[in-house]
Amino acid sequence: MAGVSTKEIKNRIRSMESTKQITKAMEMVAASKLRHAQARVQNSRPYFEILYSAISDIVSSNSDFSSPYLTRRPVKKSCYIVIAGDRGLAGGYNSNIIKLVQSQMEGKDVTVLPIGKKAVDHFKSHGFSLLTDRYMEAADVTVGDCFSIAKQLCKAYLSGEFDEIIIGYTDFVSVLSQTPSTLSMLPVLTEAKEGRSCDIVYEPDSITVFDAIIPEYLSGILYGALCESRAAEQAARRTAMDSATQNADEMIADLSLKFNQARQAAITQEITEIVAGS
């Protein structure tokens, strides 16, 4: 700060106070949105769990059961669904999930379905093949959109266009912890339940019911991943804005100290000049 006038220091203090007001307001908005996002996460989980239980029941109660959705085949073409944020100022939220997914894509023939402006912009600018770029706003993706995406992916998987479908999202662990994760959507991985008796009658038959449930199951995974990612984004933004507010407080305190020191030095110099002149 050597050679900086008190006026310039005061202007910097005012600038930091303005920045602090903005970051504090953004932190409060993120905290409010986080509460709603957490509620959506809690409400989406039972739907997924019921569908997964039905799928596991069908597979476990039919020893000769087979389906193209369960068959693992050599992977020639992969499809990655990547969920990122619509905007920045959320710490490492966007970069962490993109880095994780790109590390798994290496050496694969990949088509990407990006959701969120940051994901669309990144994969488009890096020359990846995109399935579609219509989902620029992750916040605007509805349950109906999830069903449409799931049906499109199921059709592509059955036709052999893709051999595996993987979703990359950010798992909301807590307000202070968000973990980028990937999950295999197709082929479906189920856990066999030992000793399960066939006490459920499916109409017209279990295979037809299974094939009808799979798109619902995938849309449930996608919607659940969206809810998790949106909650994680708001939590990351809240943490980042809280850290920025604290940094602004520290800079204001430091600048105030330097302002007082500069003012005292100016007063001392004036007194010295007066005394010398007299």
Side-chain angles (χ1 to χ4, degrees), residues 261-277:
Q261 290 175 344
R263 186 174 61 177
Q264 290 172 2
I267 293 172
T268 302
Q269 185 176 354
E270 288 180 6
I271 294 175
T272 304
E273 290 175 353
I274 292 171
V275 171

Side-chain angles (χ1 to χ4, degrees), residues 26-68:
M26 292 183 67
E27 178 190 349
M28 294 174 67
V29 171
S32 176
K33 290 183 177 180
L34 176 59
R35 287 192 292 271
H36 295 290
Q38 283 180 287
R40 282 194 294 269
V41 169
Q42 295 298 326
N43 293 333
S44 68
R45 284 173 180 169
Y47 177 75
F48 165 77
E49 291 170 355
I50 291 172
L51 286 175
Y52 183 78
S53 177
I55 289 174
S56 298
D57 287 339
I58 294 174
V59 175
S60 299
S61 60
N62 292 269
S63 58
D64 58 344
F65 184 82
S66 63
S67 170

Side-chain angles (χ1 to χ4, degrees), residues 143-216:
V143 177
D145 292 327
C146 293
F147 279 110
S148 299
I149 293 171
K151 289 179 181 178
Q152 181 182 1
L153 292 176
C154 286
K155 184 178 179 180
Y157 183 80
L158 291 177
S159 66
E161 185 177 347
F162 303 123
D163 299 305
E164 67 173 0
I165 298 174
I166 298 172
I167 186 169
Y169 68 103
T170 304
D171 188 23
F172 176 74
V173 180
S174 68
V175 176
L176 299 177
S177 177
Q178 303 86 40
T179 307
S181 306
T182 57
L183 177 66
S184 176
M185 297 177 69
L186 288 177
V188 177
L189 305 177
T190 61
E191 297 179 0
K193 300 178 180 179
E194 297 295 335
R196 189 80 176 183
S197 59
C198 185
D199 54 358
I200 302 175
V201 177
Y202 297 98
E203 292 292 343
D205 56 73
S206 59
I207 296 178
T208 302
V209 173
F210 182 86
D211 290 341
I213 287 178
I214 290 299
E216 303 273 345

